[in-house]
Amino acid sequence: MGATHGLPDAKELATELNARHETSSAETIIGAAHELFRNGGGLAAVSSFGADSAVLLHLIATVDPDLPVLFLDTGQHFGETLEYRDRLAADLGLTNVISISPLPDVLAEADPEGRLHQSDPDRCCAIRKVEPLARAVEPYAAWLTGRKRHQAATRAAMPVFEAVGTRIRINPLARWTTADQAEYMRRHNLRENPLVAFGYFSIGCFPCTQPVQPGDDPRWGRWAGKAKTECGIHLSGLENALSSSASRIHQQ
Ligand code: SF4
């Protein structure tokens, strides 16, 4: 496990790394992040094992199959996603997939019947995703994600290296297009989440994900009919949750 502290100069470091890796390939970015953080503060990856996850995980497996891969087991996933997590990890030889669950006492109090997503999806994501992710990444100085700029308007200007409080989030595939992704999947014959065949091109929790028609925006199938477009783990909610998680841990 990595250190329990972030980086005092995360913002500065992110700016410097973005300048250095302006035209670097995803392979180079992952290699550089590994060299910089694996033994210097700690490095992990976060994966939803969704429609687009195999590419990042394949790249990670070629660099370090023992890298911690954090999966948020919200308790509301499709069974197919949980099965895919295990099968893909076995295909790629990933040895350190860590499933993180929401806190049982919080769930018992706030969502005893598992229906909070209907009445208050933001609160549901806060207790099933944001708090568990903050707890999961707390021991690491940096973590990799598979997010891409084309996936959502909220990600259009996303940098490759981002400071999240005193930690760094790394998006090595930020510049990739749908075509880049499809070509890489084909070239390496990577296993696809079985839900993709049924029109689920962006996959989250079962109650909040719908299939879309080919050609439609894949994100349309997430929280369809609601104003919500992100679960909060990539927005400022995580930074806030990390600060409160750190202060909780340091008070113990
Ligand atoms: S995606 Fe839906 S079910 Fe999953 S945590 Fe968010 S609101 Fe709850």
Side-chain angles (χ1 to χ4, degrees), residues 74 76 117 121-122 124-125 128-129 205 207-208 223 228 231:
T74 62
Q76 300 273 16
H117 60 89
D122 285 341
C124 185
C125 280
R128 290 182 184 271
K129 290 186 167 183
C205 295
C208 302
W223 303 285
K228 188 172 170 66
C231 59

PDB file of all heavy atoms in Angstrom, residues 74 76 117 121-122 124-125 128-129 205 207-208 223 228 231, ligand 1:
ATOM      1  N   THR A  74     -20.976  -0.801  -6.005  1.00  0.00           N
ATOM      2  CA  THR A  74     -22.020   0.039  -5.410  1.00  0.00           C
ATOM      3  C   THR A  74     -23.149  -0.765  -4.777  1.00  0.00           C
ATOM      4  O   THR A  74     -23.981  -0.224  -4.070  1.00  0.00           O
ATOM      5  CB  THR A  74     -22.657   0.942  -6.489  1.00  0.00           C
ATOM      6  OG1 THR A  74     -23.278   0.079  -7.474  1.00  0.00           O
ATOM      7  CG2 THR A  74     -21.630   1.826  -7.163  1.00  0.00           C
ATOM      8  N   GLN A  76     -25.353  -2.001  -6.669  1.00  0.00           N
ATOM      9  CA  GLN A  76     -26.457  -1.830  -7.627  1.00  0.00           C
ATOM     10  C   GLN A  76     -25.987  -2.140  -9.047  1.00  0.00           C
ATOM     11  O   GLN A  76     -26.606  -1.703 -10.009  1.00  0.00           O
ATOM     12  CB  GLN A  76     -26.971  -0.378  -7.579  1.00  0.00           C
ATOM     13  CG  GLN A  76     -27.491   0.070  -6.245  1.00  0.00           C
ATOM     14  CD  GLN A  76     -28.972  -0.279  -6.046  1.00  0.00           C
ATOM     15  OE1 GLN A  76     -29.533  -1.089  -6.764  1.00  0.00           O
ATOM     16  NE2 GLN A  76     -29.602   0.326  -5.071  1.00  0.00           N
ATOM     17  N   HIS A 117     -31.937   5.821  -5.125  1.00  0.00           N
ATOM     18  CA  HIS A 117     -31.678   6.329  -6.481  1.00  0.00           C
ATOM     19  C   HIS A 117     -32.925   6.943  -7.105  1.00  0.00           C
ATOM     20  O   HIS A 117     -32.832   7.807  -7.973  1.00  0.00           O
ATOM     21  CB  HIS A 117     -31.136   5.208  -7.380  1.00  0.00           C
ATOM     22  CG  HIS A 117     -32.070   4.050  -7.527  1.00  0.00           C
ATOM     23  ND1 HIS A 117     -33.035   3.987  -8.502  1.00  0.00           N
ATOM     24  CD2 HIS A 117     -32.199   2.921  -6.789  1.00  0.00           C
ATOM     25  CE1 HIS A 117     -33.714   2.859  -8.377  1.00  0.00           C
ATOM     26  NE2 HIS A 117     -33.227   2.193  -7.341  1.00  0.00           N
ATOM     27  N   PRO A 121     -30.984  10.732  -6.345  1.00  0.00           N
ATOM     28  CA  PRO A 121     -29.828  10.073  -6.958  1.00  0.00           C
ATOM     29  C   PRO A 121     -28.483  10.694  -6.566  1.00  0.00           C
ATOM     30  O   PRO A 121     -27.482   9.981  -6.479  1.00  0.00           O
ATOM     31  CB  PRO A 121     -30.080  10.195  -8.468  1.00  0.00           C
ATOM     32  CG  PRO A 121     -31.185  11.181  -8.633  1.00  0.00           C
ATOM     33  CD  PRO A 121     -31.950  11.221  -7.349  1.00  0.00           C
ATOM     34  N   ASP A 122     -28.463  12.005  -6.289  1.00  0.00           N
ATOM     35  CA  ASP A 122     -27.179  12.615  -5.901  1.00  0.00           C
ATOM     36  C   ASP A 122     -26.705  12.056  -4.556  1.00  0.00           C
ATOM     37  O   ASP A 122     -25.533  11.744  -4.373  1.00  0.00           O
ATOM     38  CB  ASP A 122     -27.302  14.142  -5.810  1.00  0.00           C
ATOM     39  CG  ASP A 122     -27.360  14.777  -7.196  1.00  0.00           C
ATOM     40  OD1 ASP A 122     -26.949  14.114  -8.166  1.00  0.00           O
ATOM     41  OD2 ASP A 122     -27.840  15.910  -7.302  1.00  0.00           O
ATOM     42  N   CYS A 124     -27.616   9.182  -3.329  1.00  0.00           N
ATOM     43  CA  CYS A 124     -27.318   7.769  -3.562  1.00  0.00           C
ATOM     44  C   CYS A 124     -25.895   7.623  -4.097  1.00  0.00           C
ATOM     45  O   CYS A 124     -25.105   6.814  -3.608  1.00  0.00           O
ATOM     46  CB  CYS A 124     -28.348   7.183  -4.541  1.00  0.00           C
ATOM     47  SG  CYS A 124     -28.182   5.416  -4.795  1.00  0.00           S
ATOM     48  N   CYS A 125     -25.524   8.446  -5.109  1.00  0.00           N
ATOM     49  CA  CYS A 125     -24.153   8.397  -5.643  1.00  0.00           C
ATOM     50  C   CYS A 125     -23.144   8.819  -4.573  1.00  0.00           C
ATOM     51  O   CYS A 125     -22.033   8.294  -4.532  1.00  0.00           O
ATOM     52  CB  CYS A 125     -24.015   9.316  -6.853  1.00  0.00           C
ATOM     53  SG  CYS A 125     -24.634   8.624  -8.391  1.00  0.00           S
ATOM     54  N   ARG A 128     -22.846   5.705  -2.281  1.00  0.00           N
ATOM     55  CA  ARG A 128     -22.458   4.441  -2.928  1.00  0.00           C
ATOM     56  C   ARG A 128     -21.209   4.586  -3.801  1.00  0.00           C
ATOM     57  O   ARG A 128     -20.584   3.606  -4.173  1.00  0.00           O
ATOM     58  CB  ARG A 128     -23.608   3.902  -3.788  1.00  0.00           C
ATOM     59  CG  ARG A 128     -24.784   3.402  -2.965  1.00  0.00           C
ATOM     60  CD  ARG A 128     -25.869   2.827  -3.859  1.00  0.00           C
ATOM     61  NE  ARG A 128     -27.032   2.429  -3.071  1.00  0.00           N
ATOM     62  CZ  ARG A 128     -27.196   1.230  -2.527  1.00  0.00           C
ATOM     63  NH1 ARG A 128     -26.272   0.300  -2.700  1.00  0.00           N
ATOM     64  NH2 ARG A 128     -28.272   0.947  -1.817  1.00  0.00           N
ATOM     65  N   LYS A 129     -20.870   5.829  -4.193  1.00  0.00           N
ATOM     66  CA  LYS A 129     -19.711   6.004  -5.080  1.00  0.00           C
ATOM     67  C   LYS A 129     -18.662   6.984  -4.533  1.00  0.00           C
ATOM     68  O   LYS A 129     -17.489   6.655  -4.468  1.00  0.00           O
ATOM     69  CB  LYS A 129     -20.181   6.512  -6.454  1.00  0.00           C
ATOM     70  CG  LYS A 129     -20.941   5.477  -7.261  1.00  0.00           C
ATOM     71  CD  LYS A 129     -21.231   6.002  -8.654  1.00  0.00           C
ATOM     72  CE  LYS A 129     -21.713   4.886  -9.575  1.00  0.00           C
ATOM     73  NZ  LYS A 129     -21.942   5.363 -10.942  1.00  0.00           N
ATOM     74  N   CYS A 205     -24.688   1.800 -12.775  1.00  0.00           N
ATOM     75  CA  CYS A 205     -25.553   0.942 -11.965  1.00  0.00           C
ATOM     76  C   CYS A 205     -26.801   0.547 -12.751  1.00  0.00           C
ATOM     77  O   CYS A 205     -27.307   1.314 -13.577  1.00  0.00           O
ATOM     78  CB  CYS A 205     -25.981   1.679 -10.703  1.00  0.00           C
ATOM     79  SG  CYS A 205     -24.636   2.052  -9.588  1.00  0.00           S
ATOM     80  N   PRO A 207     -30.078   0.367 -11.963  1.00  0.00           N
ATOM     81  CA  PRO A 207     -31.302   1.181 -12.013  1.00  0.00           C
ATOM     82  C   PRO A 207     -31.140   2.480 -12.786  1.00  0.00           C
ATOM     83  O   PRO A 207     -32.143   3.101 -13.131  1.00  0.00           O
ATOM     84  CB  PRO A 207     -31.594   1.510 -10.534  1.00  0.00           C
ATOM     85  CG  PRO A 207     -30.610   0.754  -9.724  1.00  0.00           C
ATOM     86  CD  PRO A 207     -29.497   0.329 -10.614  1.00  0.00           C
ATOM     87  N   CYS A 208     -29.919   2.909 -13.043  1.00  0.00           N
ATOM     88  CA  CYS A 208     -29.696   4.224 -13.655  1.00  0.00           C
ATOM     89  C   CYS A 208     -29.066   4.129 -15.046  1.00  0.00           C
ATOM     90  O   CYS A 208     -28.493   5.105 -15.540  1.00  0.00           O
ATOM     91  CB  CYS A 208     -28.804   5.072 -12.756  1.00  0.00           C
ATOM     92  SG  CYS A 208     -29.491   5.286 -11.109  1.00  0.00           S
ATOM     93  N   TRP A 223     -28.809   7.936 -16.221  1.00  0.00           N
ATOM     94  CA  TRP A 223     -29.787   8.799 -15.530  1.00  0.00           C
ATOM     95  C   TRP A 223     -30.749   9.417 -16.547  1.00  0.00           C
ATOM     96  O   TRP A 223     -31.034  10.627 -16.507  1.00  0.00           O
ATOM     97  CB  TRP A 223     -29.084   9.892 -14.716  1.00  0.00           C
ATOM     98  CG  TRP A 223     -28.131   9.352 -13.714  1.00  0.00           C
ATOM     99  CD1 TRP A 223     -28.460   8.764 -12.523  1.00  0.00           C
ATOM    100  CD2 TRP A 223     -26.696   9.320 -13.795  1.00  0.00           C
ATOM    101  NE1 TRP A 223     -27.312   8.370 -11.873  1.00  0.00           N
ATOM    102  CE2 TRP A 223     -26.229   8.707 -12.631  1.00  0.00           C
ATOM    103  CE3 TRP A 223     -25.783   9.765 -14.751  1.00  0.00           C
ATOM    104  CZ2 TRP A 223     -24.867   8.505 -12.383  1.00  0.00           C
ATOM    105  CZ3 TRP A 223     -24.436   9.566 -14.507  1.00  0.00           C
ATOM    106  CH2 TRP A 223     -23.988   8.951 -13.346  1.00  0.00           C
ATOM    107  N   LYS A 228     -29.181  14.991 -14.139  1.00  0.00           N
ATOM    108  CA  LYS A 228     -27.884  14.456 -13.693  1.00  0.00           C
ATOM    109  C   LYS A 228     -27.113  13.836 -14.862  1.00  0.00           C
ATOM    110  O   LYS A 228     -27.683  13.084 -15.655  1.00  0.00           O
ATOM    111  CB  LYS A 228     -28.193  13.389 -12.637  1.00  0.00           C
ATOM    112  CG  LYS A 228     -27.023  12.822 -11.892  1.00  0.00           C
ATOM    113  CD  LYS A 228     -27.568  11.936 -10.755  1.00  0.00           C
ATOM    114  CE  LYS A 228     -26.477  11.116 -10.090  1.00  0.00           C
ATOM    115  NZ  LYS A 228     -25.524  11.943  -9.380  1.00  0.00           N
ATOM    116  N   CYS A 231     -21.764  11.101 -11.779  1.00  0.00           N
ATOM    117  CA  CYS A 231     -22.086  10.595 -10.444  1.00  0.00           C
ATOM    118  C   CYS A 231     -21.411  11.395  -9.339  1.00  0.00           C
ATOM    119  O   CYS A 231     -21.729  11.243  -8.176  1.00  0.00           O
ATOM    120  CB  CYS A 231     -21.703   9.129 -10.327  1.00  0.00           C
ATOM    121  SG  CYS A 231     -19.969   8.838 -10.634  1.00  0.00           S
TER     122      CYS A 231
HETATM  123  S1  SF4 B   1     -25.738   5.443 -10.402  1.00  0.00           S
HETATM  124 FE1  SF4 B   1     -27.831   5.277  -9.548  1.00  0.00          FE
HETATM  125  S2  SF4 B   1     -27.861   3.439  -8.225  1.00  0.00           S
HETATM  126 FE2  SF4 B   1     -25.704   3.943  -8.699  1.00  0.00          FE
HETATM  127  S3  SF4 B   1     -25.021   5.104  -6.977  1.00  0.00           S
HETATM  128 FE3  SF4 B   1     -25.740   6.615  -8.511  1.00  0.00          FE
HETATM  129  S4  SF4 B   1     -27.936   6.978  -8.142  1.00  0.00           S
HETATM  130 FE4  SF4 B   1     -27.293   5.165  -6.945  1.00  0.00          FE
END
